């Protein structure tokens, strides 16, 4: 995500963009997966996002245009990769989107404490535009899909503005979702939270259905 018109912000890369999803946070949202992650959680579901190479460069203004002229949504989710590795451009994007009335949900493998202690201005700027921060690395030994949008029990929800505070008491009643899309090139794309054995079964069922 390169930024034009913003000083001292380096270019970075986009791994994937979904203009509409119901699996990556509250309500109907767009979702931005950034490319590059220094944390490397064991058994990460998206290890292809670790490398700094391989993403698609796009300016903040271009991405904001795609989001604001896309489907009707209530907000945008930043995930990765590691959003705080690209904090400044995402903060700039978040500022544009919040001006248009959209909410921001940000995931991070870093903890809230580590983010707050950081002296990096970009980190504080991204935190400032986030309505909900979901923090902590995925820990395979603590795998737990009973709560929405998180994969392990150590991960926490931080309601930073009033936007989603009403959800705090009802998180256990919000179901996880998984979305399966078939691309024009025949590739199957999956997002959301599902156990790997369940995903294999689902994809196997889809294959058998298409064969029939």
């Amino acid at each position: 995500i390169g930024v034009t018109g913003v000083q001292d912000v380096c270019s970075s890369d986009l791994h994937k963009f979904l203009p509409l999803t119901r699996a990556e946070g509250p309500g109907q949202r767009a979702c931005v997966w950034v490319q590059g992650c220094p944390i490397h959680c064991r058994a990460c579901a998206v290890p292809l996002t670790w490398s700094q190479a391989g993403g698609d460069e796009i300016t903040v203004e271009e991405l904001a245009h795609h989001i604001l002229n896309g489907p009707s949504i209530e907000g945008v989710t930043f995930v990765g990769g590691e959003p705080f590795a690209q904090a400044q451009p995402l903060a700039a994007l978040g500022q544009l989107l919040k001006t248009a009335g959209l909410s921001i949900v940000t995931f991070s493998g870093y903890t809230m404490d580590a983010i707050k202690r950081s002296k990096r201005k970009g980190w504080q700027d991204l935190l400032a535009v986030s309505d909900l921060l979901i923090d902590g690395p995925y820990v395979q030994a603590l795998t737990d899909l009973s709560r929405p949008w998180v994969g392990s029990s150590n991960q926490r929800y931080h309601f930073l503005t009033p936007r989603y505070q009403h959800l705090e008491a009802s998180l256990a009643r919000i179901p996880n979702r998984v979305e399966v899309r078939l691309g024009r090139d025949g590739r199957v794309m999956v997002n959301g939270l599902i156990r790997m054995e369940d995903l294999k079964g689902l994809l196997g069922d889809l294959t058998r259905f298409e064969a029939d």
Side-chain angles (χ1 to χ4, degrees), residues 155-211:
Q155 295 171 310
R156 301 175 299 172
Y157 306 82
H158 300 274
F159 298 91
L160 304 177
T161 73
R163 185 75 178 251
Y164 290 119
Q165 283 181 344
H166 65 282
L167 298 178
E168 189 168 7
S170 59
L171 286 170
R173 298 193 295 275
I174 299 174
N176 271 315
R177 299 173 183 270
V178 63
E179 298 170 342
V180 181
R181 294 174 174 82
L182 182 63
R184 294 181 179 179
D185 59 0
R187 291 189 301 169
V188 175
M189 295 167 284
V190 180
N191 70 291
L193 282 172
I194 186 172
R195 294 182 184 276
M196 188 57 66
E197 57 268 26
D198 295 332
L199 176 60
K200 290 178 180 177
L202 173 63
L203 295 179
D205 288 342
L206 289 174
T207 301
R208 286 191 290 274
F209 176 78
E210 290 177 357

Side-chain angles (χ1 to χ4, degrees), residues 88-107:
Q88 196 64 69
L90 289 181
L93 176 61
Q95 289 171 357
L96 292 175
L97 299 176
K98 295 200 79 171
T99 299
L102 298 182
S103 66
I104 302 296
V105 173
T106 303
F107 285 78

Side-chain angles (χ1 to χ4, degrees), residues 45-129:
V46 283
L48 289 176
T49 65
W50 290 359
S51 172
Q52 291 291 340
D56 296 314
E57 188 172 335
I58 186 171
T59 69
V60 161
E61 289 80 3
E62 288 173 320
L63 188 49
H65 177 80
H66 290 317
I67 292 168
L68 296 174
N69 290 278
S72 177
I73 54 174
E74 67 177 76
V76 179
T77 296
F78 299 150
V79 68
E82 172 51 54
F84 279 83
Q86 302 189 39
Q88 196 64 69
L90 289 181
L93 176 61
Q95 289 171 357
L96 292 175
L97 299 176
K98 295 200 79 171
T99 299
L102 298 182
S103 66
I104 302 296
V105 173
T106 303
F107 285 78
S108 180
Y110 297 109
T111 65
M112 169 71 96
D113 293 341
I115 294 168
K116 283 186 171 181
R117 287 196 306 268
S118 171
K119 299 186 183 302
R120 301 176 189 177
K121 182 178 183 299
W123 284 33
Q124 304 312 317
D125 289 346
L126 179 53
L127 193 64
V129 300

